[in-house]
Amino acid sequence: MNLRNTEIFCAIASHRSFSKAAAARQISQPAVSQALQQLEDDLGVMLVDRSQRPIELTAAGAVFYERCQKWLEEYREIEDAVHQFSGRVTGKVRVASIYSVGLLQMSSYVRRMREEHPDVELHLDYSRPDEIYARLLRDEIDLGIMSFPRDGGEIGSIPWQVQEMVLAVAPEHPLAGRAAVALSEIDGLDFVAFTADLTIRRKTEKLLKSADVSVKVVHQFDNVETIKRAVEIDLGVAILPLSTMRRELEFGTLHAAHFSNVEFVRPMGIIHKRHKHLSRAAEKFVELLHEDAGDDGASITRQRAAGGIV
């Protein structure tokens, strides 16, 4: 039985779509159709009912899909165990991250992983939180980078960072020269927010409401990079994770102020399928993330000791 064709069939089965399976496997749709046809020819049975929209598995296809998921997982565990004897870390790691982690931050992790483990094939993309959970349960990714992560049922979560949330303002803003501000000082200001469907937006609104603070939401985005660009041109202030503002603080395009009277943090976690074996390659990526998490904490401590970040 052809391993590649079996993996492609599982992608078709999980997505119930040839085009989505092609995108997930990063191959053409004709290649997906050809792989399925070869697999059906080898087995002598039809696995997919192509007349349905969305497509449906046949009875034989449903049995084959259930068994193949277990077989593929066992195969990867065997492959991973054998690779340990070579002393090299090899294999594939599929990671999806929320947009608000910060593109610069994640790109540095990818670069380090490729430098330290060149035989590992690392795939990183960005999705919305609900889609990351769905993809994890469909076995399309191995790890997810999430804020306020779930931890229960089929989903396990490894704590990663506790990110301090700070006030981000443009250099010319009246609050730009302040190392710390009271939350009440942003009452009535124009505000660039995360989109309403994100947990961080709901947590921010809850914080503001508890302090009887009202802001004017003038723009909202799901991407922290876009929020930073809006604040840089002084469209409003924002409340952002300090760790996502490294470059802007270094070059002076943004200023950050701690909150003097409240503690507002964003917990970050690395989610995985609870009862699924993590490959050595995936474990190495988790280790790398934790090494940098420690560096972030030390950096923030030093900056606080120096009198704040301005």
Side-chain angles (χ1 to χ4, degrees):
M1 186 166 60
N2 185 288
L3 176 63
R4 175 179 175 274
N5 290 349
T6 303
E7 290 178 325
I8 292 173
F9 163 74
C10 287
I12 296 170
S14 65
H15 287 286
R16 294 296 196 268
S17 165
F18 285 91
S19 59
K20 290 180 180 179
R25 296 286 302 177
Q26 298 182 320
I27 58 177
S28 68
Q29 190 168 331
V32 168
S33 299
Q34 183 179 23
L36 175 62
Q37 188 61 60
Q38 289 175 348
L39 187 60
E40 289 178 328
D41 290 344
D42 290 342
L43 295 171
V45 294
M46 184 176 290
L47 302 173
V48 173
D49 184 352
R50 297 161 177 79
S51 67
Q52 302 294 320
R53 290 292 182 274
I55 62 174
E56 295 288 344
L57 299 181
T58 64
V63 171
F64 189 67
Y65 178 49
E66 180 184 357
R67 300 290 181 87
C68 280
Q69 284 183 298
K70 298 176 183 177
W71 176 71
L72 286 172
E73 185 171 343
E74 289 177 359
Y75 176 82
R76 294 186 186 110
E77 290 181 18
I78 293 169
E79 188 178 43
D80 192 48
V82 171
H83 283 157
Q84 292 188 38
F85 289 96
S86 68
R88 295 183 301 128
V89 180
T90 63
K92 181 188 296 185
V93 185
R94 303 161 300 169
V95 183
S97 171
I98 55 173
Y99 292 105
S100 61
V101 163
L103 302 182
L104 176 65
Q105 187 179 19
M106 290 309 300
S107 64
S108 68
Y109 299 138
V110 172
R111 183 175 61 255
R112 278 194 56 194
M113 185 69 179
R114 288 173 176 165
E115 289 172 353
E116 296 179 16
H117 304 288
D119 295 320
V120 172
E121 187 179 347
L122 175 63
H123 294 279
L124 170 68
D125 60 48
Y126 297 87
S127 294
R128 301 182 72 80
D130 54 349
E131 181 60 19
I132 292 177
Y133 286 115
R135 291 173 64 192
L136 185 71
L137 293 175
R138 292 197 300 260
D139 287 318
E140 294 171 18
I141 58 173
D142 305 300
L143 302 169
I145 309 297
M146 302 290 294
S147 64
F148 304 96
R150 300 178 199 165
D151 189 3
E154 292 187 67
I155 295 173
S157 177
I158 304 167
W160 178 33
Q161 295 179 348
V162 179
Q163 299 177 333
E164 180 184 7
M165 302 293 290
V166 297
L167 181 69
V169 300
E172 62 271 22
H173 194 277
L175 295 175
R178 303 276 297 279
V181 298
L183 191 61
S184 58
E185 293 183 75
I186 70 172
D187 188 56
L189 296 185
D190 289 345
F191 193 80
V192 184
F194 287 102
T195 51
D197 60 317
L198 297 180
T199 302
I200 188 60
R201 169 70 176 273
R202 295 192 292 273
K203 296 289 186 180
T204 302
E205 289 180 340
K206 183 178 179 181
L207 174 73
L208 296 175
K209 185 177 180 180
S210 69
D212 198 25
V213 171
S214 177
V215 295
K216 301 173 185 175
V217 176
V218 292
H219 295 283
Q220 50 185 321
F221 306 102
D222 63 2
N223 189 322
V224 72
E225 301 299 321
T226 310
I227 293 177
K228 289 189 292 185
R229 302 294 85 80
V231 175
E232 282 177 339
I233 59 176
D234 206 19
L235 294 181
V237 303
I239 297 177
L240 297 175
L242 177 58
S243 61
T244 66
M245 299 172 59
R246 285 176 170 178
R247 174 171 289 181
E248 290 78 14
L249 294 174
E250 180 181 352
F251 290 100
T253 60
L254 284 178
H255 289 257
H258 302 285
F259 290 113
S260 60
N261 59 334
V262 295
E263 182 180 4
F264 186 28
V265 297
R266 179 174 80 156
M268 300 293 297
I270 307 162
I271 62 169
H272 59 95
K273 211 166 180 181
R274 186 177 299 278
H275 300 297
K276 181 180 177 182
H277 168 76
L278 276 185
S279 68
R280 287 184 69 223
E283 289 176 348
K284 288 296 182 182
F285 187 64
V286 172
E287 289 175 12
L288 184 149
L289 291 175
H290 278 105
E291 289 174 11
D292 272 14
D295 292 343
D296 284 348
S299 175
I300 291 171
T301 299
R302 288 192 297 270
Q303 289 165 324
R304 279 177 169 167
I309 300 171
V310 294

